[in-house]
Structures are given as structure tokens and as C-alpha cells.
């Protein structure tokens, strides 16, 4: 790209794609992200003030994720059309070129800090500005899965990357700043708090029982059946017994694989079908088709630790609790991380099964 960022095309079928050059005159964005250690929680907090200047809800005819078409201003993607495109985020939370910082805030060892050295990429699922992930053909979903696997492998091989997280935010209620169908991939320089907690729980379960915690949860959900939404040959989608969100589902492979790269062709083929169906059910959850805001996060094992203790799985959830009503993370959830769900998991599953 014009400012040195990398861009990758993933096509539904093999083609001899013409290499097009980014003709824009782009200034280089200074990445000043830092990470500060919260001594009270043991977690890293990333400070990325430069992201205040990122593009925010531009008009549809000025979307930077659309293809660059004749007669229109150049976008982030030089091609006049594309299937799937991945490129480095222009305003990343984590970057490979972050400047050095003092080792401690205010020179006090109570608050260690370091550069937020990582990688953030944007994944455009389609060139169609008005599409949604759930509306894509299965063949395109399969291409996205290949892109996720490819980028997971590439980011995992980069020095300093500890965990790779592909995800999609959909809807302004979630905080989306670009309406074009897209997701992101974060390469974190640390193991995220949720994953660290899961590994700790899984390690204790392994020591106590000798078994795999995620495998036992999957087996128990399939045996109970009351919260299962889709039960395939290689994948099962279910509402977790302790669901936190008013609409939530997990999608888990039957085989213990650490990340996208470990999926075989049969698992990837079925995933393209099952994931698309799950998204479509989400859109029909409240009856008539609607653009339900959601977060779809693919949890993968860390790059260097705990890879035998957790497995790849999707957490899909919406903060909409009823038509026109959102669940706000108020005092108990935001202040104390003590969740209260207004919907019973069994009822969520029943509605998802009936949402067609």
C-alpha cells in the first residue's frame, strides 16, 4: 500500500490477479500505542490515543473498504473488484513499528509499561457494501475461513505475537465505525485475560480428572441437548449453560484443534455451512429478519503456551435483549464483573432453533 502496509487478496477460485498499485499519497501514521500493567488485576491495558482520528461512519459512496472503481476516489483496496481482502489496519491498536517507551510509568516499578508491539489486520468479506456475512454464499464463507487460517499462521510466526484473534463486530450499537462487511484480526503481544483464565481452569480440570475441559463441556452439552442449536458431523453450536448475554451461542469443533490452521478440509467445509446458518438464525432471532448487532470472536489457543489445554471455538453474542432494547453493562457487570442475564440459556437455544 502507499504507506508501506501489506495487503493480501484471497479469491474464491484460483486466478491470475493483476497486481495493482495504491496511487494515493498517504502520510505515515505514527503508532504510539503503549501497554501499561494494571497491578490490581494482573492485566495489560493498551493505550492507543491515535485511534481517535480513525475514519468514523463515512457516507456509503466514500467507504474506504469498497473497491477502487473508475471515476471514484481511491480506497484502501486498489482493485475494481475482489472476493476477500486482508490488509494492515491504518489505525491499529497494536503495530510492529511502535516507538520505545520508558520501562515504568513515572519511573515507578509499580506500573510497568512497554510498547504495544503486535499486529492488527482488517478482513473485508466481500466487495458488496450492502451485504452481510450471513448473506454470503457458502463458497465465500469458505474463502474467509482460508483467509483466517492463512493469517493465523502468518501472525503466529511473527516475533512477539502470543495470541491471534479473528473477530467481527457488526452494528453501530457494538461500536462499528465502517458499515462495509468486514472483521479484524488482532495479533496480541500477550495472552488475553479470558484465555489465561480458561487455561488456568482447564489445567486444574486436567490435573483433577485427567480430561479435557472443553471436550467435557462439549460432551455434556450434546448429551443434555436442551441448549444445542446445530449438531453436525464435525461441529456443534450450543448456548452455554452459563450464558452471559441475552443472545449467545458457542460453536465448537468435535476434534480438539488449537486454531484455524489445524482444521482439515472436511472440518473447514462443514464450518462454512454451519457458521453461515448460525449467523442467519441470529438475524431471525426476534422474528422478522433484522440487522442484529453482534460480536463473533474466534478464540484460539495461544501461540506458545497452553495449546493442549484449550481448543478453537467461536463465541457469538448480541447485546440486544428485545427489539429496540439493549443490555447495558451497568454497575454489576462493568463495576464488579458479576454478570446478570435476563434470558434463560434454554430459552435462548429454543428461539435460535426456531429462527429460520
Amino acid at each position: 500500500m502507499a504507506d508501506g502496509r501489506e495487503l493480501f487478496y484471497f479469491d474464491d477460485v484460483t486466478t491470475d490477479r493483476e497486481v495493482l498499485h495504491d496511487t494515493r499519497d498517504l502520510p505515515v501514521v505514527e503508532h504510539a500505542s503503549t501497554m501499561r500493567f494494571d497491578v490490581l488485576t494482573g492485566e495489560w491495558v493498551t493505550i492507543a490515543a491515535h485511534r481517535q482520528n480513525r475514519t468514523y461512519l463515512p457516507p456509503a459512496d466514500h467507504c474506504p473498504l469498497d473497491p477502487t472503481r473508475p471515476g471514484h476516489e481511491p480506497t484502501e483496496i486498489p482493485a475494481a473488484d475482489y472476493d476477500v481482502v486482508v490488509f494492515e489496519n491504518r489505525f491499529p491498536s497494536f503495530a510492529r513499528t511502535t516507538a520505545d517507551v520508558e520501562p515504568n510509568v513515572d519511573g515507578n516499578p509499580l506500573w510497568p509499561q512497554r510498547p504495544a508491539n503486535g499486529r492488527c489486520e482488517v478482513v473485508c468479506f466481500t466487495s458488496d457494501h450492502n451485504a452481510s456475512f450471513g448473506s454470503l454464499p457458502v463458497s465465500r464463507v469458505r474463502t474467509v475461513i482460508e483467509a483466517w487460517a492463512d493469517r493465523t499462521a502468518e501472525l503466529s510466526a511473527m516475533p512477539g505475537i502470543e495470541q491471534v484473534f479473528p473477530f467481527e463486530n457488526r452494528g453501530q450499537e457494538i461500536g462499528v465505525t465502517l458499515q462495509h462487511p468486514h472483521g479484524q484480526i488482532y495479533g496480541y503481544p500477550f495472552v488475553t485475560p479470558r484465555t489465561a483464565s480458561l487455561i488456568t481452569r482447564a489445567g486444574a480440570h486436567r490435573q483433577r480428572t485427567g480430561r479435557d475441559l472443553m471436550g467435557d463441556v462439549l460432551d455434556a452439552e450434546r448429551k443434555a441437548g436442551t441448549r444445542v442449536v446445530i449438531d453436525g458431523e464435525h461441529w456443534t453450536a450450543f448456548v452455554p449453560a452459563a450464558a452471559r448475554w441475552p443472545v449467545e451461542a458457542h460453536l465448537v469443533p468435535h476434534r480438539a484443534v488449537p486454531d484455524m490452521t489445524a482444521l482439515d478440509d472436511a472440518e473447514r467445509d462443514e464450518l462454512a455451512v454451519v457458521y453461515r446458518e448460525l449467523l442467519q438464525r441470529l438475524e431471525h432471532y426476534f422474528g422478522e429478519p433484522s440487522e442484529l448487532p453482534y460480536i463473533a470472536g474466534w478464540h484460539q489457543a495461544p501461540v506458545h503456551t497452553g495449546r493442549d489445554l484449550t481448543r478453537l471455538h467461536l463465541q457469538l453474542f448480541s447485546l440486544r435483549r428485545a427489539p429496540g432494547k439493549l443490555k447495558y453493562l451497568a454497575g454489576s457487570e462493568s463495576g464488579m464483573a458479576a454478570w446478570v442475564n435476563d434470558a434463560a440459556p434454554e430459552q435462548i437455544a429454543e428461539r435460535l432453533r426456531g429462527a429460520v
Side-chain angles (χ1 to χ4, degrees):
M1 302 176 79
D3 55 3
R5 289 175 293 141
E6 292 185 301
L7 179 145
F8 308 90
Y9 293 98
F10 295 85
D11 295 317
D12 294 341
V13 295
T14 302
T15 59
D16 292 327
R17 177 174 287 279
E18 179 185 2
V19 177
L20 299 172
H21 297 286
D22 186 357
T23 60
R24 298 171 297 171
D25 182 16
L26 290 180
V28 176
V29 175
E30 295 293 333
H31 302 137
S33 297
T34 60
M35 302 189 313
R36 295 182 175 183
F37 189 72
D38 184 348
V39 67
L40 300 180
T41 64
E43 299 172 1
W44 287 99
V45 176
T46 302
I47 314 297
H50 66 279
R51 284 175 51 79
Q52 290 280 10
N53 299 320
R54 67 188 186 274
T55 307
Y56 181 77
L57 296 176
D61 58 347
H62 291 277
C63 178
L65 305 186
D66 283 357
T68 295
R69 295 191 170 98
H72 292 75
E73 62 185 88
T75 71
E76 291 278 69
I77 302 159
D81 196 14
Y82 63 83
D83 293 339
V84 177
V85 167
V86 179
F87 60 87
E88 286 184 83
N89 197 321
R90 182 160 168 75
F91 301 97
S93 301
F94 305 95
R96 309 297 291 172
T97 57
T98 302
D100 289 336
V101 295
E102 293 297 321
N104 300 306
V105 178
D106 300 331
N108 192 326
L110 188 65
W111 300 303
Q113 69 174 349
R114 65 190 196 197
N117 291 327
R119 174 94 164 195
C120 292
E121 298 183 342
V122 176
V123 185
C124 295
F125 306 135
T126 172
S127 62
D128 184 354
H129 182 89
N130 298 311
S132 67
F133 201 122
S135 71
L136 300 178
V138 170
S139 59
R140 176 59 53 78
V141 179
R142 185 68 169 77
T143 303
V144 174
I145 293 169
E146 288 300 315
W148 283 336
D150 178 272
R151 301 313 303 155
T152 294
E154 290 294 321
L155 268 63
S156 296
M158 293 180 180
I161 300 297
E162 296 296 332
Q163 188 171 2
V164 180
F165 180 51
F167 64 96
E168 178 191 4
N169 297 330
R170 185 190 180 193
Q172 288 183 237
E173 298 93 334
I174 299 296
V176 168
T177 58
L178 296 174
Q179 300 286 16
H180 193 107
H182 74 287
Q184 301 181 64
I185 304 176
Y186 272 24
Y188 293 101
F190 52 81
V191 177
T192 60
R194 184 187 187 278
T195 301
S197 177
L198 174 57
I199 289 173
T200 298
R201 300 291 300 172
H205 185 81
R206 176 76 57 82
Q207 186 174 25
R208 186 173 64 253
T209 68
R211 297 193 302 272
D212 172 35
L213 176 59
M214 290 290 291
D216 281 358
V217 168
L218 175 62
D219 291 344
E221 291 288 2
R222 297 183 73 194
K223 181 178 180 180
T226 54
R227 292 174 296 277
V228 171
V229 179
I230 303 171
D231 195 7
E233 180 182 356
H234 302 289
W235 296 84
T236 293
F238 59 87
V239 177
R244 301 182 175 202
W245 297 93
V247 186
E248 182 174 0
H250 292 185
L251 181 57
V252 181
H254 296 172
R255 187 169 64 95
V257 296
D259 54 31
M260 289 277 181
T261 66
L263 294 174
D264 61 31
D265 285 340
E267 290 164 332
R268 296 184 190 197
D269 289 344
E270 184 176 275
L271 175 58
V273 176
V274 172
Y275 183 42
R276 178 175 178 264
E277 178 184 338
L278 187 58
L279 290 178
Q280 291 175 340
R281 289 180 179 274
L282 195 73
E283 292 183 351
H284 289 79
Y285 185 80
F286 289 116
E288 294 297 321
S290 63
E291 294 186 0
L292 197 68
Y294 66 74
I295 294 175
W298 285 100
H299 297 274
Q300 304 191 100
V303 176
H304 299 110
T305 184
R307 292 181 65 81
D308 62 330
L309 291 174
T310 185
R311 70 175 72 185
L312 170 73
H313 64 283
L314 168 76
Q315 183 188 23
L316 174 67
F317 61 91
S318 175
L319 44 68
R320 182 165 291 166
R321 58 185 178 86
K325 298 179 180 179
L326 300 178
K327 174 182 176 62
Y328 293 99
L329 302 188
S332 187
E333 290 89 357
S334 294
M336 295 300 291
W339 285 76
V340 179
N341 194 348
D342 298 332
E346 292 73 19
Q347 293 173 333
I348 299 171
E350 183 177 1
R351 293 194 70 163
L352 280 171
R353 287 193 294 264
V356 293

